[in-house]
Amino acid sequence: MVPEVLEYLNPEPGGTWIDGTSGYGGHCFEIACRIGDEGRLIGLDVDPDAIDFCRKRLDRFPCRTEFVQAGYEDLGSVLAEKGIDRVDGILLDLGISSAQVDRGGRGFSFRLEGPLDMRMDPERSPDAAEWLAQADLKEIRTALLKYGEEKRAHAIAKAIVREREMAAIDTTARLADIVLTCFPDRNRAGKVHPATRTFQALRIVVNNELERLETFLSFFPERLKTKGRAVVLSYHSLEDRLVKNAFRNWTGKMDPVLSKLPIRGEIEGPIKILTRQVVRPSEDECSTNPRARSAKLRAVERTEKPL
Ligand SMILES: C[S@@+](CC[C@H](N)C(=O)[O-])C[C@H]1O[C@@H](n2cnc3c(N)ncnc32)[C@H](O)[C@@H]1O
C-alpha cells in the first residue's frame, strides 16, 4: 500500500519522519525519496537484521537517515535521546515482514521446517518453543482464543500439553502436525491452513504485539507536531480494533460527558481522523501481492488542541 501510505503520511521536504517498523526499508525508501536533503528519517525495528539491512540500503540518500534497534512503543525515549520533541509523521506497518516469514530459521512459518522460534528480536526470551514448554493448559487455550480467535483452542491446547510430555515441541513442523490432528479431515482441505491461527496466536504472545501497540496508541499524539500525521497499517482484526478505538478516543468525541452536550459537533480533540472508512489495498495490489489482502490502513492528523 505504498501509494496510500504516501498519500496519508504526506512526507514533504524537510521535517522529521518516523518509520516505527522499518523492516526491509520499502516504505523508508519512498519516504527518503520525498523529504530532500533537509529531511530526517528515523527508522525503528526490533529485529537487528532489519536494522542492518536498512542502514546499508539507505546510506546514500541526501537526507539524514538513522536506524535504531528499538520498539516503536519506546519512541518517546528514542526521540528524547536525540533531543527531538515532536515529529512530522509516524508510520507503523504492523506484523512481520516477508523476509522474516520466508526464512525457515526464524520459525514463523508452518510451511517451512525450522526451530519454533518466532522472536522478532532474537535477544528476547522466551521463544515460542520455550513459551509452549512452560505455559499451562489454560494459558495456551486463552492465547489461542484471544490472539488466534481459534475455535478449536481447547482441543489444540490439550494436544500440545499431551504431546510435550513425549518430546519437546521445538520445530515448526512438529507444532503444525499436532494442530492438524485436532481437525477432522474435511477441515484440512480448506484455503486457510489449520495451523494458521495457532501460529498467529503464538507469534503475538511471544512478541507481546498487542501490549506494545496499546502502549504506542496511549501516547503517540504527544509526539506529533500540529498537522503531523500518524498512519497505521494492520493485518488482523485484533490490531485494527485497537487502532480504530484508540483513534476515536483521541478525537475527544468519545468523552462520556462532552459527547452528550449539544456542542458535540464543535468538540475538537488533539487528533482528527483522516480515514473515515478504513482504506484497503487495490485489487491490482492484491493480485500481485496476495499478502497485502488483509491490510487495513487508518490515518490521523494532530490538531492544535493541547493534550
Ligand atoms: C510488515 S514489516 C514492515 C515492512 C516495512 N514497512 C518495509 O517496507 O519493508 C513489520 C516490521 O515491524 C517490526 N516490528 C514488529 N513489532 C515491532 C515493534 N514493537 N517495534 C518495532 N518494530 C517492530 C518487525 O520486526 C518487522 O520488521
Side-chain angles (χ1 to χ4, degrees):
M1 295 186 79
V2 169
E4 294 86 352
V5 165
L6 293 174
E7 180 191 338
Y8 284 102
L9 190 65
N10 195 26
E12 288 176 334
T16 301
W17 306 86
I18 306 295
D19 186 339
T21 52
S22 55
Y24 286 77
H27 288 118
C28 287
F29 181 90
E30 299 293 338
I31 296 168
C33 287
R34 284 162 177 78
I35 62 177
D37 29 349
E38 297 294 313
R40 185 171 181 183
L41 168 65
I42 302 173
L44 311 182
D45 204 293
V46 285
D47 183 340
D49 290 351
I51 293 295
D52 285 348
F53 189 91
C54 280
R55 283 192 183 129
K56 287 181 198 130
R57 182 172 181 192
L58 280 105
D59 73 341
R60 297 231 180 106
F61 270 91
C63 63
R64 187 165 162 191
T65 57
E66 296 151 76
F67 292 94
V68 184
Q69 190 197 345
Y72 56 70
E73 66 282 2
D74 295 326
L75 179 64
S77 48
V78 172
L79 293 180
E81 267 175 35
K82 294 180 182 295
I84 300 170
D85 183 22
R86 302 199 287 165
V87 301
D88 297 86
I90 306 173
L91 168 66
L92 295 189
D93 178 12
L94 300 171
I96 36 177
S97 65
S98 299
Q100 288 167 328
V101 188
D102 295 341
R103 276 175 41 206
R106 301 296 300 263
F108 286 109
S109 172
F110 47 83
R111 296 183 198 284
L112 300 172
E113 173 79 62
L116 191 60
D117 188 319
M118 298 198 187
R119 290 168 301 170
M120 292 178 189
D121 172 357
E123 278 151 32
R124 276 172 70 107
S125 56
D127 66 18
E130 289 163 342
W131 189 85
L132 271 190
Q134 51 77 35
D136 63 26
L137 183 120
K138 197 170 157 215
E139 284 172 306
I140 300 173
R141 187 185 55 210
T142 306
L144 297 180
L145 272 175
K146 192 168 163 198
Y147 302 128
E149 300 181 281
E150 172 57 74
K151 291 197 185 79
R152 292 176 183 268
H154 185 68
I156 297 171
K158 259 174 69 181
I160 287 171
V161 169
R162 188 180 61 238
E163 290 294 324
R164 74 184 179 190
E165 295 300 319
M166 329 267 198
I169 305 172
D170 55 7
T171 66
T172 51
R174 178 148 153 73
L175 178 60
D177 285 346
I178 294 170
V179 174
L180 271 178
T181 63
C182 304
F183 285 79
D185 284 348
R186 66 175 184 284
N187 285 342
R188 291 188 192 176
K191 240 175 158 185
V192 179
H193 189 288
T196 306
R197 288 178 294 275
T198 297
F199 272 64
Q200 172 183 301
L202 257 184
R203 193 200 84 209
I204 292 176
V205 171
V206 165
N207 295 289
N208 265 331
E209 290 180 33
L210 298 186
E211 292 81 356
R212 290 167 140 192
L213 179 58
E214 279 179 306
T215 302
F216 171 84
L217 293 169
S218 70
F219 74 81
F220 77 94
E222 293 165 21
R223 294 292 159 195
L224 287 173
K225 293 178 186 168
T226 301
K227 292 209 173 292
R229 292 182 171 191
V231 176
V232 182
L233 273 172
S234 62
Y235 295 87
H236 55 77
S237 54
L238 301 166
E239 287 172 344
D240 183 55
R241 212 174 300 143
L242 289 179
V243 176
K244 184 171 94 181
N245 291 340
F247 280 4
R248 281 171 63 194
N249 282 334
W250 278 111
T251 61
K253 293 186 181 142
M254 301 300 288
D255 183 296
V257 179
L258 293 180
S259 62
K260 292 203 175 68
L261 297 177
I263 54 163
R264 188 163 184 232
E266 294 155 32
I267 299 170
E268 189 191 65
I271 66 167
K272 73 173 185 210
I273 292 176
L274 300 174
T275 45
R276 295 192 72 183
Q277 297 291 327
V278 70
V279 179
R280 306 298 303 261
S282 64
E283 278 183 24
D284 270 2
E285 174 155 15
C286 294
S287 59
T288 52
N289 175 17
R291 282 182 181 160
R293 269 190 319 241
S294 51
K296 290 182 177 165
L297 181 150
R298 295 186 188 271
V300 292
E301 185 175 278
R302 179 84 160 86
T303 66
E304 283 176 0
K305 172 115 184 205
L307 291 167

